Amino acid sequence: MKKIALIFGVLTFSISQAHAVHQLIFRDASSLTTGTVNNSLLDNSSVTKMGNLTDRLDQVATATGSAVRGHKIYDLYAGAPGSPGNVDAVVGGLASFVNMLASAPVNAAGLTRNTSAHATIFFSSGIYDICGATIPQGVEIWATPGSSTVFRPTSDVCRMFTVYGALRNVTFDMQGRARAGQMVSIATGGAVTGFTVNNADAGDQTTANQLTSFMVEYATNVIIDGVFNSYAGTSQDNYRGGLATVWHSSSVYININASNGNFATNGKQSFFVNGSRDVVIDGDYKGMGGRFVLSYGGNKDIFIRGKHQITKAYNSYVLLKPGEFGAASTGTYVTAHFVHDVANTNVIIDLNDGGAGLELGGVSVTGCTAITTQSTVPTSFIIVRTGTTRAIFTNNRVYGMPFISDSGRNTQFTSLLNFVDGIQQ
Amino acid sequence: MEKLFFILSIIISIHLEAFAVTPSRIRGGKVEFAICTVGGQWAFDQDEKTNILDNTPSAQVINLTPTTFELQVAQSGIRFENYSDFVACVENKEHLDDKILDVKPSDYKKKKLLIDALKTENNKK
């Protein structure tokens, strides 16, 4: 009897195991409701994966349309005229852009700074010809990184966007136009990130045309982060920069990867900063020339960083100068890497007094490296002119050029870990 | 003749007032003197002078020559901390005295003739 019971027990256990294996392998999944299935057991031809939607935003948007939009990834989907896919709004110009903003659930047409409208709008791949558009605070326009969501200006002189909210991952195609004025104006809290700018090297570089890609004016908490595949500098000493202008603003973060700049002569300017505080200019700048930045009067805490390959004629590549809106410019910090790759004798960093009665103070150049590939080298890496007081230089390494031409007052650079070809100054 | 002398003395005094020390700079550890001012900008060699004149052809050129004492201080071999240090040595007898006292004995041994001559000249001030 005991033997029978033992055999029965073994058989029962074996059958339950076999049933479990059968259930795991052969069971029809149509009746499953919850639980986890091992991925190795799934066949792509017969199983619809319901993975992490946030990793596949565009596929969801373009492939499945409004039904899937019930997930509310974006509040509204916009497309260009004739674009494929099911979209909520077709944007063919400024009027339809405004209509899109006016539609539910965005309801933000005509707004600038506000707290009532909050919406995310997805722009699918396509060409959008537009100028004069405003993106209100609380509204974000998105595109897929690397996709062809392309905005083009409709004239040579129009401002394409005024951004109070955010514009992310789009491409600006300037179509080789002789552009003047601003491409985008960014207000307080505005952000333009992940952008790419193409065909912008034919901009009108004359002073009167005030060319600048991004204008930050009387604003705070602004982010500019993207790529310029080409651009045009604007006139040297003009109150504009071909890449960006920061005018009486604060907490502005700029990170740009720029190449193929057009500087025409050695006097074209990429950045202009005036009367501002806490401005960071960072990034990777290739094929540079002209004047990278003019930091003018009334600035406080300006941080100039990045890697700079200078291959075209330039003139005082970084120019720090007191001037309008403040006799003193204080707290400018330069920490950058410079490759001098053009036969040019001009200095790389110029601490300029700006003329009679004007003072430049509080400048710190720290942790820079400068190398040259040329036999014609800068007069010196840095020049400190009269009227510059107590500039401090520490921990810099320079190769193949003199470190400093000093005519300033109480300049601090000796025995402060500044090296020229390995020899401390 | 007296008039000419008077005008010359005024020009010289204006020049001296404008530049207590001849426009100069420290570059690569050495003192360099400007050869001229062009429209108020300092030019340290002919190339710089030409470049400035190219941009501002009508700018007034004033040629400059450092004084014997400035040259003596500049070429003494004394190591200057910065440009202000050099200017102080030219303008301030006591500062230069202290600077000479601070020269390392090993440096003094190498530059004895120059430093002694500078010391003698400074004592005349």
Side-chain angles (χ1 to χ4, degrees), chain A residues 398-420:
Chain A
V398 170
Y399 300 89
M401 66 188 87
F403 179 66
I404 193 168
S405 297
D406 175 28
S407 300
R409 287 200 289 271
N410 294 308
T411 310
Q412 306 295 307
F413 66 95
T414 50
S415 304
L416 287 175
L417 299 176
N418 297 303
F419 296 89
V420 174

Side-chain angles (χ1 to χ4, degrees), chain A residues 78-82 89-102 123 126-135 141 150-155 158-161:
Chain A
V90 173
V91 175
L94 179 60
S96 49
F97 184 89
V98 173
N99 287 339
M100 175 203 69
L101 288 181
F123 270 62
I127 305 289
Y128 301 86
D129 292 323
I130 199 160
C131 267
T134 297
I135 302 173
I141 288 179
V150 180
F151 289 101
R152 302 190 306 195
T154 54
S155 81
C158 66
R159 180 194 291 162
M160 296 174 71
F161 287 97

Side-chain angles (χ1 to χ4, degrees), chain A residues 3 14 17 35 53 83 110 127 134 143 164 167 182 192 209 224 227 240 243 320 343 352 374 378 380 396 411:
Chain A
K3 277 184 181 177
S14 301
Q17 289 299 301
L53 286 174
S83 65
I127 305 289
T134 297
Y164 294 84
L167 183 56
Q182 306 164 15
V192 181
N209 286 302
I224 300 169
V227 174
R240 292 290 183 274
L243 291 174
L320 313 176
N352 198 301
Q374 304 289 312
S380 58
N396 299 291
T411 310

Side-chain angles (χ1 to χ4, degrees), chain A residues 47-372:
Chain A
V47 173
T48 301
K49 293 181 179 179
M50 303 295 283
N52 184 354
L53 286 174
T54 56
D55 288 342
R56 295 172 171 271
L57 297 179
D58 60 325
Q59 289 93 329
V60 169
T62 54
T64 57
S66 298
V68 175
R69 280 181 234 132
H71 290 288
K72 295 288 183 186
I73 298 166
Y74 296 101
D75 296 302
L76 190 142
Y77 289 77
S83 65
N86 185 1
V87 295
D88 301 316
V90 173
V91 175
L94 179 60
S96 49
F97 184 89
V98 173
N99 287 339
M100 175 203 69
L101 288 181
S103 65
V106 181
N107 301 320
L111 299 177
T112 53
R113 295 187 179 92
N114 78 95
T115 54
S116 59
H118 300 279
T120 53
I121 302 168
F122 183 87
F123 270 62
S124 60
S125 296
I127 305 289
Y128 301 86
D129 292 323
I130 199 160
C131 267
T134 297
I135 302 173
Q137 181 182 344
V139 173
E140 296 210 0
I141 288 179
W142 285 77
T144 303
S147 69
S148 298
T149 300
V150 180
F151 289 101
R152 302 190 306 195
T154 54
S155 81
D156 292 350
V157 294
C158 66
R159 180 194 291 162
M160 296 174 71
F161 287 97
T162 300
V163 179
Y164 294 84
L167 183 56
R168 304 190 192 277
N169 307 329
V170 303
T171 296
F172 298 95
D173 180 359
M174 308 315 283
Q175 303 175 281
R177 288 174 177 269
R179 287 271 304 168
Q182 306 164 15
M183 182 179 81
V184 174
S185 171
I186 310 183
T188 291
V192 181
T193 64
F195 66 85
T196 302
V197 176
N198 292 332
N199 303 317
D201 55 341
D204 190 327
Q205 300 178 304
T206 53
T207 302
N209 286 302
Q210 303 284 294
L211 178 69
T212 192
S213 298
F214 290 101
M215 184 74 190
V216 182
E217 191 173 10
Y218 304 111
T220 188
N221 296 329
V222 167
I223 300 173
I224 300 169
D225 189 345
V227 174
F228 278 81
N229 287 322
S230 65
Y231 76 99
T234 190
S235 290
Q236 173 179 299
D237 295 335
N238 186 8
Y239 286 5
R240 292 290 183 274
L243 291 174
T245 302
V246 182
W247 182 268
H248 289 258
S249 296
S250 62
S251 299
V252 178
Y253 177 76
I254 299 170
N255 183 39
I256 286 174
N257 186 334
S259 55
N260 297 317
N262 173 10
F263 308 104
T265 62
N266 68 355
K268 303 307 177 189
Q269 205 159 272
S270 297
F271 288 99
F272 178 77
V273 183
N274 181 220
S276 296
R277 187 192 67 76
D278 189 21
V279 177
V280 177
I281 299 175
D282 205 340
D284 199 344
Y285 300 89
K286 298 185 185 75
M288 295 299 288
R291 173 164 295 156
F292 177 68
V293 60
L294 169 55
S295 175
Y296 208 33
N299 287 325
K300 176 86 174 76
D301 296 341
I302 309 299
F303 300 86
I304 298 167
R305 303 177 185 160
K307 182 180 178 184
H308 304 259
Q309 182 200 29
I310 307 168
T311 61
K312 297 170 185 164
Y314 68 95
N315 186 13
S316 294
Y317 187 73
V318 173
L319 178 60
L320 313 176
K321 187 175 178 179
E324 196 171 333
F325 303 114
S329 184
T330 61
T332 303
Y333 304 89
V334 184
T335 304
H337 177 68
F338 301 94
V339 179
H340 177 262
D341 197 12
V342 57
N344 190 306
T345 59
N346 288 313
V347 298
I348 293 176
I349 300 175
D350 188 339
L351 276 58
N352 198 301
D353 48 64
L358 297 174
E359 295 279 335
L360 179 67
V363 175
S364 177
V365 178
T366 303
C368 288
T369 51
I371 62 172
T372 182

Side-chain angles (χ1 to χ4, degrees), chain A residues 347 379-380 382-385 403-407, chain B residues 25-27:
Chain A
V347 298
T379 310
S380 58
I382 300 167
I383 189 166
V384 182
R385 300 181 194 269
F403 179 66
I404 193 168
S405 297
D406 175 28
S407 300
Chain B
R25 67 187 180 191
I26 290 187
R27 188 173 76 106

